[in-house]
Amino acid sequence: NAGVTQTPKFQVLKTGQSMTLQCAQDMNHNSMYWYRQDPGMGLRLIYYSASEGTTDKGEVPNGYNVSRLNKREFSLRLESAAPSQTSVYFCASRYGGQETQYFGPGTRLLVL
Amino acid sequence: QQQVKQSPQSLIVQKGGISIINCAYENTAFDYFPWYQQFPGKGPALLIAIRPDVSEKKEGRFTISFNKSAKQFSLHIMDSQPGDSATYFCAASNNYQLIWGAGTKLIIKP
């Protein structure tokens, strides 16, 4: 099992450009999450999907959109990137009824 | 009320020593308190977790101490090793939504 995979690993964007971060899990988990990690701020939830077909906003959703494509895949889209979105983005998944979240390796995004 | 406050921000401990990281929370609805460990370039991974009906949980060299009345919990790493050097995050959960502390960068000096 690959667990949680994320692509790309690293990306540089110019202000105003758009991009989609991809996440997939092969653990048959119901719930999936997108976080951003900034120095000194821990992880902040952007969006989550409790199950296939549902998505909900987290703590910091502005400037982002998500799509739960199927049970395996959960993508995060930046429509018009801003320097404030420079961060490390983590995708995580969780099996229903269990607390443990399993994280991908992260995508490092730099917006110039 | 949703915040989880973690301290210290960074910690240097000699090999063989005890590392202690502290967290405090406000929301009494939290019912699950995990600690995650993150190595550079990797995602966080669950290290150990506790529920509020017990005051302590031990797994190998790692122990969580939980004080429900003070709304505080801490991670103790006994006999700290250089391989324990990582960033540690506490978190608190209500209805499966994790609220994270800011993280502690732990360095174990050989």
Side-chain angles (χ1 to χ4, degrees), chain A residues 15-33:
Chain A
T15 297
Q17 287 185 317
S18 62
M19 79 163 295
T20 299
L21 283 65
Q22 306 287 354
C23 173
Q25 53 88 13
D26 62 359
M27 297 177 283
N28 200 34
H29 287 175
N30 307 93
S31 299
M32 298 186 73
Y33 304 81

Side-chain angles (χ1 to χ4, degrees), chain A residues 37 48 94 99 101 108, chain B residues 36 38 41 89 93 96-97:
Chain A
Q37 183 178 40
Y48 67 99
R94 179 181 64 82
E99 293 275 5
Q101 293 187 18
R108 283 149 184 77
Chain B
Y36 278 74
Q38 184 181 30
F89 292 94
S93 172
Y96 302 109
Q97 299 297 351

Side-chain angles (χ1 to χ4, degrees), chain A residues 76-98:
Chain A
L76 178 71
R77 183 162 178 83
L78 287 70
E79 292 290 352
S80 179
S84 61
Q85 293 179 305
T86 292
S87 188
V88 181
Y89 291 85
F90 287 101
C91 176
S93 68
R94 179 181 64 82
Y95 189 72
Q98 295 181 6

Side-chain angles (χ1 to χ4, degrees), chain A residues 33 35 37-45 48 59 90 94 96-106 108, chain B residues 9 31-32 36 38-46 51 87 89 93-103:
Chain A
Y33 304 81
Y35 292 94
Q37 183 178 40
D38 301 291
M41 300 188 74
L43 285 87
R44 292 182 292 168
L45 183 64
Y48 67 99
E59 180 186 355
F90 287 101
R94 179 181 64 82
Q98 295 181 6
E99 293 275 5
T100 304
Q101 293 187 18
Y102 295 84
F103 283 79
R108 283 149 184 77
Chain B
Q9 192 173 8
D31 59 2
Y32 175 75
Y36 278 74
Q38 184 181 30
F39 293 106
K42 305 291 185 183
L46 179 67
R51 294 204 180 268
T87 299
F89 292 94
S93 172
N94 177 28
N95 195 25
Y96 302 109
Q97 299 297 351
L98 285 173
I99 306 298
W100 296 79

Side-chain angles (χ1 to χ4, degrees), chain B residues 36-63:
Chain B
Y36 278 74
Q37 180 187 53
Q38 184 181 30
F39 293 106
K42 305 291 185 183
L46 179 67
L47 181 64
I48 188 172
I50 198 168
R51 294 204 180 268
D53 54 345
V54 297
S55 61
E56 185 174 283
K57 184 175 182 180
K58 185 175 182 179
E59 291 183 0
R61 296 184 294 108
F62 301 91
T63 300

